[in-house]
Amino acid sequence: MSRSRRPPIAHVRRLAAAVVAGVLAVLVLTPAVASAAGGPAGDVFARTNAQRTAAGLPALVSDPGLDAAAAEWARQLASSCTFEHSSSAWRSARVAAFGWTASGENIAAGQPDAAAVVSSWMASPGHKANILDRRYTGLGVGYATGSCYRTYWVQIFGVGSPVKTLPGGAGDLNGDRSADVLARTTSGDLRLYPGTGTGRFGTATTVLPAWGDRAFTPLGDFTGDRIPDIARVEADGRLSLFSGNGRGGFAAPVAIGTGWSRFSQLIGGMDFDGDRLADVIARTTSGELLLYRGNGRGGWLSGGARIGSGWQNFTAVFSPGDFTGDSRSDLIGRRADGTLWLYATTGKGTWAAGRQIGKGWGSFTALAGAGDFDGNGTQDVLARNASGALLLYGGTGRGGFLPARSVGSGWNGIAQLG
């Protein structure tokens, strides 16, 4: 392989005969459009779909599993200074749980931006054939930088229909396809810190002034309109639902329950029972966890089932979304000794065995799920230290962390992150 700045691009089309035979059944599916990875990867996604639209083909759906796999392979190429395809077995192991029955791949290196790489692929018959293949219904895009070829681009195409997953954190509140951060200030305002999809923040705005000193709970899409929502427990114990409007704001509160003041914390946006609907987990002062199953329409299927005990020993508990890459919601807790523990769900209303994923986290004054804040297709975690610096711990999509990096300072005026 030439070691030029812009090496030849390559492609792979690996659909086994059995998969091709099943494609006609796939073609009748019309999966809902999901949010693409942000940054340069998101630009490639949009430009790829523009090429398909111009050719009269349906748009490809984005999916966290495809995005995470593409990002992982792009990082592998960048870190190893190699230029080769992943195997179909490697891809299948990462995307099958998300509903994809087969996959193909385009890779490239050296192109300076999204416009250049998509133009290069469209000028190559094999790559163009992948982009315009009617059998593909999903697309994940990965982008990484390295010393040998500077830029690395990966497209992973999927056949099938994506499985709905719930992201961690507040979600995309303003409709720009990037994960945002919601924060309650020490003065009692609720502020939106919009993410750019590249691990940075846009201009913050106050979305609910005079919110007060009560905690907010990110609910994920609790009402079924594909827009994230939040909740608050009122002084009289009512649980108020604030439905997101998709433009960075919220509708007037609606009461969806009473007697919630007995809980010390609510954790929303999790699908605990595997029905792909957002649930709420309530923690009592005695350390019990109770499950309240959402109905996907802003209400409840059932409530009060005991799903855990001993959680009073945790100094922080939050949902990072699908942190392990198996398309199921997870929970992270910090113990008093500063160790960080991951509790994955099985999708059947039970927990997998907890495992330690970090230590030395006791010095952080705030922890929260960040969704896919850096735009690489995996779920991330935000941590604030005592000096007010905000650190991003990017998820690997396999239950671990990428190296931490600073994404802000002066966050000591924030009472709660979500």
Side-chain angles (χ1 to χ4, degrees):
M1 183 190 68
S2 170
R3 293 280 178 169
S4 62
R5 179 179 178 186
R6 186 170 297 185
I9 53 182
H11 76 283
V12 63
R13 293 165 57 80
R14 295 173 178 171
L15 290 176
V19 176
V20 174
V23 167
L24 290 179
V26 172
L27 293 180
V28 302
L29 299 173
T30 55
V33 175
S35 295
D43 196 2
V44 168
F45 179 86
R47 291 176 182 274
T48 300
N49 267 339
Q51 295 292 336
R52 288 179 64 90
T53 299
L57 296 171
L60 296 169
V61 174
S62 180
D63 176 76
L66 293 175
D67 279 337
E72 184 179 349
W73 193 247
R75 292 195 299 268
Q76 167 64 22
L77 296 179
S79 63
S80 62
C81 284
T82 56
F83 188 71
E84 60 186 7
H85 283 286
S86 65
S87 68
S88 58
W90 184 94
R91 295 192 301 275
S92 179
R94 286 155 175 78
V95 305
F98 288 80
W100 305 107
T101 59
S103 62
E105 184 179 88
N106 282 345
I107 64 174
Q111 289 78 6
D113 53 34
V117 72
V118 173
S119 294
S120 296
W121 279 327
M122 290 301 293
S124 168
H127 299 82
K128 180 178 179 180
N130 263 353
I131 289 173
L132 300 183
D133 193 326
R134 183 178 291 274
R135 294 171 297 182
Y136 290 131
T137 53
L139 172 64
V141 182
Y143 167 76
T145 57
S147 58
C148 289
Y149 301 99
R150 206 172 92 177
T151 59
Y152 294 80
W153 309 86
V154 176
Q155 289 180 312
I156 293 182
F157 301 88
V159 174
S161 185
V163 174
K164 179 183 177 183
T165 59
L166 300 173
D172 174 18
L173 293 170
N174 59 8
D176 66 355
R177 303 192 310 181
S178 298
D180 304 318
V181 173
L182 201 60
R184 176 170 55 89
T185 68
T186 53
S187 60
D189 294 331
L190 209 60
R191 291 179 62 78
L192 172 64
Y193 291 82
T196 63
T198 59
R200 297 179 177 85
F201 291 104
T203 303
T205 59
T206 298
V207 292
L208 286 174
W211 171 271
D213 60 359
R214 296 193 170 272
F216 65 87
T217 300
L219 294 177
D221 177 16
F222 191 72
T223 57
D225 60 1
R226 300 181 185 172
I227 300 171
D229 311 307
I230 62 173
R232 178 177 67 188
V233 178
E234 308 295 354
D236 60 3
R238 286 178 298 117
L239 185 63
S240 293
L241 168 67
F242 294 76
S243 299
N245 62 16
R247 301 184 300 277
F250 298 93
V254 175
I256 57 172
T258 58
W260 290 76
S261 56
R262 66 191 180 102
F263 299 119
S264 59
Q265 183 186 2
L266 302 182
I267 304 145
M270 286 191 64
D271 171 26
F272 186 75
D273 54 6
D275 64 359
R276 304 297 170 184
L277 302 176
D279 304 319
V280 172
I281 294 176
R283 180 164 65 146
T284 68
T285 54
S286 63
E288 287 189 320
L289 294 185
L290 304 182
L291 174 66
Y292 290 80
R293 298 176 59 218
N295 64 10
R297 301 184 302 276
W300 310 102
L301 292 174
S302 62
R306 185 174 177 270
I307 59 172
S309 61
W311 288 78
Q312 72 275 13
N313 300 317
F314 289 87
T315 58
V317 181
F318 62 93
S319 172
D322 175 18
F323 196 66
T324 60
D326 61 0
S327 79
R328 296 190 286 265
S329 298
D330 303 312
L331 201 66
I332 289 178
R334 180 184 63 186
R335 294 184 179 177
D337 62 0
T339 57
L340 205 65
W341 290 76
L342 173 67
Y343 294 86
T345 63
T346 64
K348 301 176 182 178
T350 57
W351 300 102
R355 63 183 177 90
Q356 185 177 329
I357 58 173
K359 60 182 180 179
W361 287 71
S363 61
F364 291 117
T365 57
L367 298 174
D372 179 17
F373 190 71
D374 54 12
N376 70 352
T378 63
Q379 298 294 296
D380 308 321
V381 171
L382 286 172
R384 182 186 64 190
N385 63 24
S387 66
L390 196 63
L391 303 178
L392 178 68
Y393 285 82
T396 63
R398 313 291 288 180
F401 293 106
L402 299 173
R405 61 187 178 95
S406 176
V407 292
S409 60
W411 285 74
N412 275 337
I414 299 300
Q416 180 191 358
L417 289 173

